[in-house]
Protein backbone atom coordinates (compact mmCIF):
# COMPACT_ATOMS: atom_id res chain seq x y z
CA UNK A 1 0.00 0.00 0.00
CA UNK A 2 2.93 2.33 0.59
CA UNK A 3 5.23 1.53 -2.32
CA UNK A 4 6.39 4.19 -4.75
CA UNK A 5 7.83 7.66 -4.56
CA UNK A 6 6.81 9.70 -1.53
CA UNK A 7 4.95 6.81 0.11
CA UNK A 8 7.52 6.37 2.89
CA UNK A 9 6.45 9.70 4.39
CA UNK A 10 2.80 8.61 4.22
CA UNK A 11 3.73 5.37 5.98
CA UNK A 12 5.51 7.33 8.75
CA UNK A 13 2.51 9.64 9.21
CA UNK A 14 0.11 6.69 9.44
CA UNK A 15 2.31 5.04 12.08
CA UNK A 16 2.45 8.29 14.04
CA UNK A 17 -1.33 8.69 13.91
CA UNK A 18 -1.76 5.08 15.08
CA UNK A 19 0.49 5.67 18.10
CA UNK A 20 -1.20 8.97 19.01
CA UNK A 21 -4.67 7.43 18.66
CA UNK A 22 -3.73 4.38 20.72
CA UNK A 23 -2.19 6.45 23.54
CA UNK A 24 -5.22 8.79 23.52
CA UNK A 25 -7.60 5.84 23.96
CA UNK A 26 -5.40 4.42 26.74
CA UNK A 27 -5.42 7.75 28.60
CA UNK A 28 -9.20 8.09 28.19
CA UNK A 29 -9.69 4.64 29.74
CA UNK A 30 -7.22 5.30 32.57
CA UNK A 31 -8.74 8.65 33.54
CA UNK A 32 -12.19 7.09 33.24
CA UNK A 33 -11.22 4.40 35.72
CA UNK A 34 -11.30 1.58 33.18
CA UNK A 35 -7.73 0.30 33.18
CA UNK A 36 -8.32 -3.45 33.09
CA UNK A 37 -6.43 -5.48 30.43
CA UNK A 38 -9.53 -6.42 28.42
CA UNK A 39 -10.52 -2.79 27.81
CA UNK A 40 -6.89 -1.85 27.01
CA UNK A 41 -6.69 -4.60 24.40
CA UNK A 42 -10.07 -3.48 23.07
CA UNK A 43 -8.81 0.11 22.76
CA UNK A 44 -5.74 -1.08 20.88
CA UNK A 45 -7.96 -3.13 18.53
CA UNK A 46 -10.24 -0.16 17.89
CA UNK A 47 -7.27 2.09 17.07
CA UNK A 48 -5.86 -0.46 14.63
CA UNK A 49 -9.28 -0.97 13.02
CA UNK A 50 -9.61 2.78 12.41
CA UNK A 51 -6.12 2.96 10.91
CA UNK A 52 -6.92 -0.07 8.74
CA UNK A 53 -9.87 1.84 7.27
CA UNK A 54 -7.56 4.80 6.61
CA UNK A 55 -5.00 2.52 4.92
CA UNK A 56 -7.70 0.95 2.74
CA UNK A 57 -8.72 4.43 1.62
CA UNK A 58 -5.14 5.53 0.92
CA UNK A 59 -4.38 2.29 -0.92
CA UNK A 60 -7.66 2.02 -2.82
CA UNK A 61 -5.91 2.29 -6.19
CA UNK A 62 -3.52 -0.51 -5.23
CA UNK A 63 -6.36 -2.73 -3.97
CA UNK A 64 -9.04 -2.06 -6.56
CA UNK A 65 -7.09 -0.79 -9.56
CA UNK A 66 -6.54 -2.63 -12.81
CA UNK A 67 -4.46 -5.79 -12.45
CA UNK A 68 -1.25 -6.23 -14.45
CA UNK A 69 0.05 -9.52 -15.91
CA UNK A 70 1.71 -11.81 -13.37
CA UNK A 71 5.12 -11.55 -15.04
CA UNK A 72 5.04 -7.74 -14.93
CA UNK A 73 3.98 -7.88 -11.30
CA UNK A 74 6.95 -10.07 -10.36
CA UNK A 75 9.33 -7.75 -12.21
CA UNK A 76 7.93 -4.72 -10.38
CA UNK A 77 8.06 -6.56 -7.05
CA UNK A 78 11.74 -7.38 -7.54
CA UNK A 79 12.54 -3.84 -8.69
CA UNK A 80 10.95 -2.32 -5.57
CA UNK A 81 12.08 -4.91 -3.03
CA UNK A 82 15.58 -5.90 -4.18
CA UNK A 83 17.28 -3.24 -2.03
CA UNK A 84 15.48 -4.42 1.09
CA UNK A 85 16.20 -8.02 0.17
CA UNK A 86 19.91 -7.32 -0.24
CA UNK A 87 20.01 -5.38 3.04
CA UNK A 88 18.40 -8.35 4.80
CA UNK A 89 20.87 -10.83 3.31
CA UNK A 90 23.83 -8.57 4.22
CA UNK A 91 22.67 -8.14 7.83
CA UNK A 92 21.95 -11.85 8.24
CA UNK A 93 25.41 -12.71 6.91
CA UNK A 94 27.13 -10.14 9.12
CA UNK A 95 25.28 -11.27 12.24
CA UNK A 96 25.75 -14.98 11.56
CA UNK A 97 29.14 -15.31 13.29
CA UNK A 98 28.20 -13.77 16.65
CA UNK A 99 24.94 -15.74 16.70
CA UNK A 100 26.72 -18.99 15.92
CA UNK A 101 29.30 -18.17 18.58
CA UNK A 102 26.55 -17.68 21.16
CA UNK A 103 24.91 -20.98 20.15
CA UNK A 104 28.19 -22.89 20.49
CA UNK A 105 29.00 -21.35 23.88
CA UNK A 106 25.46 -21.95 25.14
CA UNK A 107 25.50 -25.61 24.08
CA UNK A 108 29.00 -26.70 25.03
CA UNK A 109 30.06 -24.40 27.87
CA UNK A 110 28.92 -23.86 31.45
CA UNK A 111 26.36 -21.20 32.30
CA UNK A 112 29.10 -18.99 33.79
CA UNK A 113 31.01 -19.02 30.49
CA UNK A 114 27.82 -18.18 28.61
CA UNK A 115 27.25 -15.24 30.96
CA UNK A 116 30.75 -13.93 30.29
CA UNK A 117 30.31 -14.28 26.52
CA UNK A 118 26.95 -12.46 26.69
CA UNK A 119 28.62 -9.66 28.62
CA UNK A 120 31.22 -9.35 25.85
CA UNK A 121 28.40 -9.18 23.30
CA UNK A 122 26.82 -6.33 25.25
CA UNK A 123 30.12 -4.43 25.01
CA UNK A 124 30.00 -4.95 21.26
CA UNK A 125 26.51 -3.46 21.15
CA UNK A 126 27.85 -0.19 22.63
CA UNK A 127 30.01 0.38 19.54
CA UNK A 128 27.29 -0.77 17.14
CA UNK A 129 24.80 1.62 18.74
CA UNK A 130 27.24 4.45 17.96
CA UNK A 131 27.53 3.46 14.27
CA UNK A 132 23.78 2.86 14.02
CA UNK A 133 23.03 6.42 15.20
CA UNK A 134 25.50 7.83 12.66
CA UNK A 135 23.84 5.79 9.91
CA UNK A 136 20.47 7.25 10.92
CA UNK A 137 21.94 10.76 10.61
CA UNK A 138 23.47 10.02 7.20
CA UNK A 139 20.22 8.72 5.67
CA UNK A 140 18.35 12.09 5.39
CA UNK A 141 21.45 13.61 3.79
CA UNK A 142 21.57 10.88 1.14
CA UNK A 143 17.84 11.16 0.55
CA UNK A 144 18.27 14.77 -0.61
CA UNK A 145 20.89 13.81 -3.23
CA UNK A 146 20.14 12.78 -6.78
CA UNK A 147 21.57 9.53 -8.13
CA UNK A 148 24.60 11.16 -9.75
CA UNK A 149 25.56 12.98 -6.54
CA UNK A 150 25.20 9.77 -4.55
CA UNK A 151 27.55 7.92 -6.91
CA UNK A 152 30.16 10.66 -6.59
CA UNK A 153 29.85 10.87 -2.82
CA UNK A 154 30.06 7.13 -2.17
CA UNK A 155 33.85 6.96 -1.98
CA UNK A 156 33.93 9.97 0.35
CA UNK A 157 31.34 8.47 2.66
CA UNK A 158 33.16 5.15 2.50
CA UNK A 159 36.39 6.75 3.73
CA UNK A 160 34.56 8.60 6.51
CA UNK A 161 32.77 5.39 7.46
CA UNK A 162 36.04 3.46 7.78
CA UNK A 163 37.43 6.28 9.91
CA UNK A 164 34.46 6.26 12.31
CA UNK A 165 34.53 2.49 12.72
CA UNK A 166 38.30 2.49 13.25
CA UNK A 167 38.05 5.23 15.90
CA UNK A 168 35.23 3.28 17.56
CA UNK A 169 37.56 0.29 17.94
CA UNK A 170 39.69 2.36 20.33
CA UNK A 171 36.83 1.93 22.82
CA UNK A 172 38.59 -1.36 23.56
CA UNK A 173 41.05 0.52 25.79
CA UNK A 174 38.53 2.13 28.18
CA UNK A 175 36.42 -1.04 28.12
CA UNK A 176 39.45 -3.10 29.10
CA UNK A 177 40.27 -0.63 31.90
CA UNK A 178 36.70 -0.73 33.24
CA UNK A 179 36.50 -4.51 33.15
CA UNK A 180 39.96 -5.03 34.65
CA UNK A 181 39.48 -2.60 37.54
CA UNK A 182 35.75 -2.46 38.25
CA UNK A 183 34.27 -5.70 36.92
CA UNK A 184 36.95 -8.27 37.63
CA UNK A 185 34.57 -11.23 37.46
CA UNK A 186 34.21 -10.50 33.75
CA UNK A 187 37.94 -10.39 32.96
CA UNK A 188 37.64 -13.67 30.94
CA UNK A 189 35.35 -11.74 28.58
CA UNK A 190 38.40 -9.89 27.28
CA UNK A 191 39.42 -13.13 25.53
CA UNK A 192 36.30 -12.83 23.35
CA UNK A 193 36.49 -9.09 22.92
CA UNK A 194 39.28 -9.15 20.33
CA UNK A 195 37.15 -11.22 17.94
CA UNK A 196 33.94 -9.33 18.67
CA UNK A 197 35.55 -5.95 18.03
CA UNK A 198 36.82 -7.26 14.69
CA UNK A 199 33.18 -7.94 13.79
CA UNK A 200 32.49 -4.25 14.27
CA UNK A 201 34.14 -3.58 10.90
CA UNK A 202 31.55 -5.32 8.66
CA UNK A 203 28.65 -4.64 11.02
CA UNK A 204 29.53 -0.97 11.44
CA UNK A 205 30.03 -0.54 7.72
CA UNK A 206 26.61 -2.04 7.05
CA UNK A 207 24.94 0.32 9.55
CA UNK A 208 26.89 3.41 8.50
CA UNK A 209 27.05 3.02 4.76
CA UNK A 210 25.39 0.05 3.06
CA UNK A 211 21.95 0.24 4.68
CA UNK A 212 21.51 4.03 4.23
CA UNK A 213 22.56 3.80 0.55
CA UNK A 214 20.20 0.92 -0.19
CA UNK A 215 17.36 2.78 1.50
Amino acid sequence: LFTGEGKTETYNYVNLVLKVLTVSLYLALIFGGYNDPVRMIGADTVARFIITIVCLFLGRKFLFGKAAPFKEGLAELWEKSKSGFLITIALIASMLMPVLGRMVVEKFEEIATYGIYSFAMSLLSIILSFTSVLGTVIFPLLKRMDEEEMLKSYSRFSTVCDGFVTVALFLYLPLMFIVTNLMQKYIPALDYLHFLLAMCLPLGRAQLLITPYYK
Side-chain angles (χ1 to χ4, degrees):
L1 296 179
F2 299 107
T3 57
E5 186 177 354
K7 294 299 180 65
T8 302
E9 294 182 5
T10 303
Y11 173 76
N12 292 334
Y13 284 131
V14 169
N15 272 334
L16 177 61
V17 172
L18 172 60
K19 289 178 173 58
V20 171
L21 180 60
T22 303
V23 172
S24 299
L25 291 175
Y26 286 166
L27 291 176
L29 288 174
I30 291 172
F31 286 114
Y34 304 104
N35 57 353
D36 57 282
V38 174
R39 286 188 171 87
M40 290 294 180
I41 293 173
D44 182 77
T45 303
V46 169
R48 292 179 184 277
F49 178 76
I50 294 173
I51 294 301
T52 299
I53 300 300
V54 173
C55 289
L56 289 174
F57 175 77
L58 294 175
R60 60 190 182 281
K61 182 178 179 181
F62 175 82
L63 293 171
F64 307 111
K66 184 178 179 181
F70 185 72
K71 186 176 180 180
E72 292 182 14
L74 284 179
E76 183 180 356
L77 177 64
W78 171 246
E79 178 63 28
K80 292 183 176 180
S81 65
K82 62 181 180 181
S83 294
F85 177 77
L86 293 173
I87 290 174
T88 302
I89 294 298
L91 292 178
I92 290 175
S94 62
M95 288 298 296
L96 187 60
M97 190 175 295
V99 171
L100 287 177
R102 177 170 288 180
M103 290 173 61
V104 170
V105 173
E106 181 181 6
K107 184 173 180 60
F108 296 105
E109 297 290 344
E110 298 178 353
I111 188 65
T113 304
Y114 179 72
I116 290 172
Y117 181 82
S118 298
F119 173 74
M121 291 291 292
S122 67
L123 296 180
L124 173 66
S125 68
I126 295 174
I127 297 175
L128 294 180
S129 297
F130 172 70
T131 55
S132 177
V133 169
L134 290 177
T136 304
V137 173
I138 288 174
F139 174 66
L141 177 63
L142 295 177
K143 192 175 180 181
R144 293 183 176 91
M145 295 182 178
D146 57 36
E147 187 173 351
E148 185 176 349
E149 284 182 306
M150 288 180 65
L151 291 173
K152 292 180 179 179
S153 65
Y154 183 85
S155 60
R156 184 172 71 253
F157 275 112
S158 179
T159 302
V160 173
C161 164
D162 291 340
F164 274 125
V165 176
T166 302
V167 170
L169 291 178
F170 281 97
L171 286 174
Y172 174 76
L173 297 176
L175 289 175
M176 183 177 65
F177 177 81
I178 292 172
V179 172
T180 303
N181 292 277
L182 302 177
M183 309 176 74
Q184 296 180 356
K185 290 184 178 181
Y186 290 98
I187 287 178
L190 297 176
D191 294 335
Y192 297 104
L193 205 57
H194 299 84
F195 302 102
L196 294 176
L197 287 174
M199 295 177 197
C200 287
L201 293 172
L203 292 174
R205 190 173 181 82
Q207 292 177 334
L208 260 175
L209 193 68
I210 297 175
T211 302
Y213 262 92
Y214 270 128
K215 284 183 179 180

